[in-house]
Amino acid sequence: SKAGGPRATAPGQQLRALFYALPPGESSFRELEEVPDYVEKSIPFFIAFIGLEFAVSWVQKRKLAGRINDGISSLSLGILSRLPDVLFRSIELISYIYVWNNYRLFELPWDSPWTWYLTLLGVDFAYYCFHRMSHEVNILWAAHQIHHSSEDYNLFTALRQSVLQKYTSWIFNLPMALFIPPSVFAVHLQFNLLYQFWIHTEVITKLGPLEWILNTPSHHRVHHGRNPYCIDKNYGGTLIIWDRIFGTFEAEDAKVVYGLTHPVNSFDPIMLQLRPLAHIWNMFWATPGFCNKLSVIFKGPGWGPGKPRLGLPEEIPVITGKEVPYNPSVPAYLNCYAVVHFAIIMDLYTGLLGSVTVLSQVTILLRIAFIILSLTSFGLLMENRPKADILEIIRCLVFVAVYKLGQLRSQFSSLSYTYEV
């Protein structure tokens, strides 16, 4: 690698990074600038594993692992969550580096295996604490619930992320900045996130003795369930030991029904991000008493006046086994249309990531605005909403105009005319 720049990672290393299987000798770096962007480099593997999951699901059950509308919704939310990183450096790293530079107590050696394994435990425990708080504090849940809003459970769901969540999670990592170098922290922050991709699947059942230590697909299926026995369980990221220690572990038992206890029934990525905040806002003003208003924000999402902090378990809707996922009927050609146009936006998005250093801020903002407009339009089309077709026609006209002006460019120059058609 060039001095001061990220090191290149071989495909085999990148694949092992998905499973937290890169040992200290291969993933320890002196400087933060040397740390590879493991997440961005994993995009081809995400696509490959999604295809593999669909194939295995078809062999096992003679059905696909998900639906087009829900899959596009999850991918749209994933793209939306990463767009702020195009403009700003990660707040998790900015805050960590600030504490490290100004308040660190001592410095553990960056190249010691002991530092590497201690950071693994520290990052995972911080994630457990934040994740648990995100389910038990209403304002944090308003952001995190987006990840739980899918009524399918597949690898698409792993990419379904909140725009706002990262702006609160950073606080839980700061104690490590008192003694763990940022370069070591940055590696494990990515590994912890990447590990959680492959556990979002139904095609893997049980993993034997590993179930005692690691977070597995079986454990995480429980976490995504809306069955009463699944609520507020299995918060671990990479390890399940924290749940076993602190009493939040639950083994998979009855068939898990996925999604929120009160489904949102939408594929619009902007609405999915903002509706929970609007709900808290309305509850805040409708609830009498200043202390009760604060409780609306800082107690559990099931809380109400006169109830325990996390609400009443008996108010959780009973699962009948007859629940039907939100699935508006749309013509087959519209599904094909949405898939093709979403693929075009994926091309433009990855192209934006690759050229962000040479583009002006105005160009970046315009491209981000067009991506957001497109993802919103796809969501409304998948809902078969009135006048969604008008918005889509406007979007396509905007696309052709800015494409002709050279403000949008495909990574594949041979497809330019095809894109305009």
Side-chain angles (χ1 to χ4, degrees):
S1 66
K2 295 180 179 179
R7 293 186 188 176
T9 54
Q13 288 180 311
Q14 191 61 49
L15 178 60
R16 284 184 287 130
L18 275 173
F19 299 94
Y20 224 129
L22 277 182
E26 293 183 70
S27 54
S28 296
F29 307 94
R30 180 189 297 275
E31 301 295 337
L32 180 62
E33 290 72 19
E34 298 177 15
V35 177
D37 189 338
Y38 290 105
V39 175
E40 184 179 332
K41 294 177 185 296
S42 292
I43 291 175
F45 289 99
F46 293 161
I47 297 170
F49 275 109
I50 287 170
L52 179 62
E53 179 188 38
F54 271 67
V56 173
S57 178
W58 181 258
V59 170
Q60 288 180 342
K61 306 175 183 178
R62 285 294 183 269
K63 71 174 185 177
L64 298 179
R67 296 168 293 148
I68 289 175
N69 48 23
D70 189 81
I72 289 179
S73 176
S74 292
L75 291 173
S76 296
L77 288 163
I79 291 174
L80 206 61
S81 71
R82 299 282 291 178
L83 288 179
D85 295 337
V86 175
L87 294 171
F88 315 106
R89 194 174 188 181
S90 166
I91 188 174
E92 292 170 310
L93 289 178
I94 291 174
S95 58
Y96 193 95
I97 292 168
Y98 177 81
V99 173
W100 170 260
N101 287 337
N102 294 280
Y103 300 106
R104 71 176 179 265
L105 302 177
F106 55 91
E107 182 174 340
L108 293 177
W110 66 270
D111 54 351
S112 169
W114 292 107
T115 304
W116 195 94
Y117 287 111
L118 178 64
T119 310
L120 184 159
L121 292 173
V123 167
D124 201 59
F125 181 64
Y127 178 82
Y128 171 86
C129 294
F130 167 71
H131 196 184
R132 183 168 180 175
M133 290 285 282
S134 295
H135 282 253
E136 297 184 359
V137 175
N138 203 15
I139 192 65
L140 299 182
W141 172 247
H144 183 63
Q145 61 86 35
I146 290 156
H147 181 60
H148 286 262
S149 59
S150 173
E151 295 177 275
D152 291 344
Y153 189 75
N154 50 42
L155 295 178
F156 283 127
T157 310
L159 306 177
R160 192 181 190 96
Q161 299 294 330
S162 165
V163 172
L164 301 174
Q165 182 170 294
K166 67 184 71 176
Y167 298 105
T168 52
S169 61
W170 59 273
I171 299 171
F172 293 80
N173 293 314
L174 294 186
M176 288 180 286
L178 299 175
F179 53 92
I180 291 175
S183 62
V184 184
F185 168 74
V187 167
H188 288 277
L189 187 66
Q190 294 186 78
F191 284 179
N192 192 275
L193 176 65
L194 289 173
Y195 179 90
Q196 294 178 59
F197 170 73
W198 73 274
I199 61 177
H200 288 82
T201 185
E202 290 188 294
V203 301
I204 298 174
T205 52
K206 298 277 189 177
L207 295 178
L210 295 178
E211 303 278 340
W212 285 96
I213 301 170
L214 297 177
N215 194 12
T216 65
S218 175
H219 297 330
H220 206 59
R221 285 193 289 270
V222 170
H223 179 72
H224 273 259
R226 55 176 157 142
N227 313 56
Y229 86 92
C230 298
I231 301 299
D232 295 339
K233 300 295 182 182
N234 299 0
Y235 295 113
T238 300
L239 303 173
I240 203 66
I241 58 173
W242 315 116
D243 290 284
R244 295 186 183 278
I245 291 171
F246 297 108
T248 53
F249 174 75
E250 189 69 43
E252 187 176 20
D253 187 9
K255 179 175 173 54
V256 178
V257 177
Y258 304 106
L260 302 170
T261 55
H262 299 88
V264 291
N265 293 340
S266 177
F267 301 122
D268 177 357
I270 301 300
M271 194 283 296
L272 285 167
Q273 300 280 349
L274 298 181
R275 180 187 281 181
L277 293 173
H279 177 67
I280 291 177
W281 176 264
N282 294 332
M283 278 189 63
F284 180 86
W285 291 110
T287 303
F290 180 72
C291 290
N292 283 338
K293 289 182 184 298
L294 290 180
S295 295
V296 168
I297 298 174
F298 297 110
K299 289 188 178 180
W303 178 85
K307 297 179 184 178
R309 180 175 68 89
L310 300 181
L312 297 168
E314 55 266 28
E315 291 184 351
I316 299 171
V318 176
I319 297 300
T320 63
K322 299 179 180 179
E323 288 75 17
V324 178
Y326 177 64
N327 194 29
S329 177
V330 297
Y333 73 84
L334 192 57
N335 281 327
C336 294
Y337 176 91
V339 169
V340 169
H341 278 258
F342 185 84
I344 294 173
I345 294 303
M346 277 292 294
D347 174 29
L348 298 179
Y349 167 68
T350 54
L352 174 61
L353 294 180
S355 59
V356 67
T357 55
V358 299
L359 298 175
S360 68
Q361 286 290 96
V362 173
T363 302
I364 293 172
L365 287 171
L366 288 175
R367 292 192 182 189
I368 288 175
F370 180 74
I371 289 172
I372 293 173
L373 170 64
S374 300
L375 299 179
T376 302
S377 183
F378 300 153
L380 297 180
L381 285 173
M382 293 292 92
E383 292 180 29
N384 213 5
R385 291 274 288 275
K387 300 183 179 178
D389 50 349
I390 297 176
L391 177 62
E392 179 61 13
I393 290 170
I394 293 171
R395 186 192 75 84
C396 287
L397 292 174
V398 170
F399 174 85
V400 172
V402 295
Y403 208 79
K404 282 290 189 183
L405 292 171
Q407 295 302 309
L408 287 177
R409 275 290 169 260
S410 168
Q411 298 177 84
F412 310 102
S413 56
S414 60
L415 293 178
S416 295
Y417 180 71
T418 305
Y419 276 14
E420 292 176 27
V421 171

